[in-house]
Amino acid sequence: AKMQEDADSAAEHGLALSVIGGVAFILIGFFLSRAFLSAFTDKAAVLEQAVSYSHIAVGLSLFLMISVMCEKIQQATGNMIIPMCQGLVGAIVNIIFDPLLIFGIGPFPELGVTGAALATIFGQFVSMLIGLWGVFIHQKMLSVRMRQFRWKAGTVLDIYRVGLPGIIMQSTVSVMTAGLNIILIRFSDIAVSVLGIYFKLQTFIFMPVFGI
């Protein structure tokens, strides 16, 4: 549409909003995790491990939010290769560090569930670095200059107007999953674990569908 300035502004606002979202989840992850997770188990050991994981995986999801925003900015310019590399490299880093940090292999300490959370964050951090390189250095279609960034209420409203249906869809899935967990915890912790495993396996089925 030849609206270069508006396109540049939308990308800049997207990155700024991803940072704000990441900061919000620092607060959620560190201050609300225990209250939320307490609804799903009354076993102290399980709760402590879940809280430990959430403090890191939720509290440090800033890297994930920036990474996803970089993916979407590049996809909007027609580049699907770098976003694919972000996902692949991030997942590979996660897979490599998971056993090293969970079981304490080699020079790495044995951290258990905390190690799993850290491995996830490492993967997201590397993915974010690739995404930032793609947005600020590799792609030439948009001019993203955060040093000159100024908030525009109209742009923020446009972003959320377009994104609201996706937000509602994602939230619905999360609420449904939480509801199922609340039902299943009345039977046993194993039932909740089985549901979690199912959703992980389901991801492999839907991944190519989303790609198409």
Side-chain angles (χ1 to χ4, degrees):
K2 308 299 181 184
M3 298 166 64
Q4 185 68 45
E5 185 176 342
D6 290 339
D8 295 343
S9 178
E12 291 166 357
H13 277 75
L15 282 171
L17 289 170
S18 71
V19 173
I20 291 174
V23 172
F25 271 85
I26 291 174
L27 301 177
I28 292 171
F30 281 94
F31 294 107
L32 298 181
S33 290
R34 183 175 296 276
F36 177 75
L37 293 166
S38 295
F40 303 100
T41 183
D42 56 0
K43 295 183 178 180
V46 174
L47 178 61
E48 289 306 316
Q49 290 189 63
V51 170
S52 175
Y53 185 91
S54 296
H55 279 170
I56 298 171
V58 178
L60 299 179
S61 56
L62 170 66
F63 305 134
L64 173 63
M65 296 201 179
I66 296 174
S67 176
V68 170
M69 185 57 63
C70 289
E71 287 181 12
K72 300 309 176 186
I73 290 172
Q74 292 170 104
Q75 288 169 354
T77 68
N79 186 331
M80 301 300 290
I81 302 300
I82 294 178
M84 180 184 70
C85 292
Q86 283 183 244
L88 284 174
V89 174
I92 291 169
V93 170
N94 191 350
I95 290 169
I96 290 172
F97 276 95
D98 257 334
L100 297 177
L101 292 174
I102 291 172
F103 303 112
I105 298 173
F108 296 93
E110 183 178 345
L111 299 175
V113 170
T114 300
L118 288 172
T120 299
I121 293 300
F122 288 162
Q124 293 170 356
F125 180 74
V126 172
S127 179
M128 179 194 71
L129 292 180
I130 296 172
L132 290 172
W133 172 81
V135 169
F136 286 99
I137 297 176
H138 183 267
Q139 67 85 27
K140 306 300 181 186
M141 193 172 293
L142 295 170
S143 178
V144 183
R145 299 171 179 168
M146 299 308 295
R147 290 184 179 179
Q148 303 174 12
F149 174 73
R150 295 291 183 275
W151 286 106
K152 295 180 181 177
T155 304
V156 174
L157 290 174
D158 282 344
I159 288 173
Y160 279 105
R161 178 176 55 80
V162 173
L164 185 60
I167 292 171
I168 294 173
M169 286 294 292
Q170 290 290 335
S171 300
T172 300
V173 173
S174 297
V175 171
M176 180 198 72
T177 304
L180 288 172
N181 281 332
I182 289 173
I183 293 170
L184 292 173
I185 195 61
R186 298 184 179 184
F187 295 95
S188 69
D189 288 341
I190 294 176
V192 176
S193 300
V194 169
L195 180 67
I197 293 170
Y198 160 75
F199 276 118
K200 293 294 184 183
L201 294 174
Q202 177 183 269
T203 303
F204 289 99
I205 303 300
F206 281 102
M207 205 175 286
V209 176
F210 292 148
I212 293 172

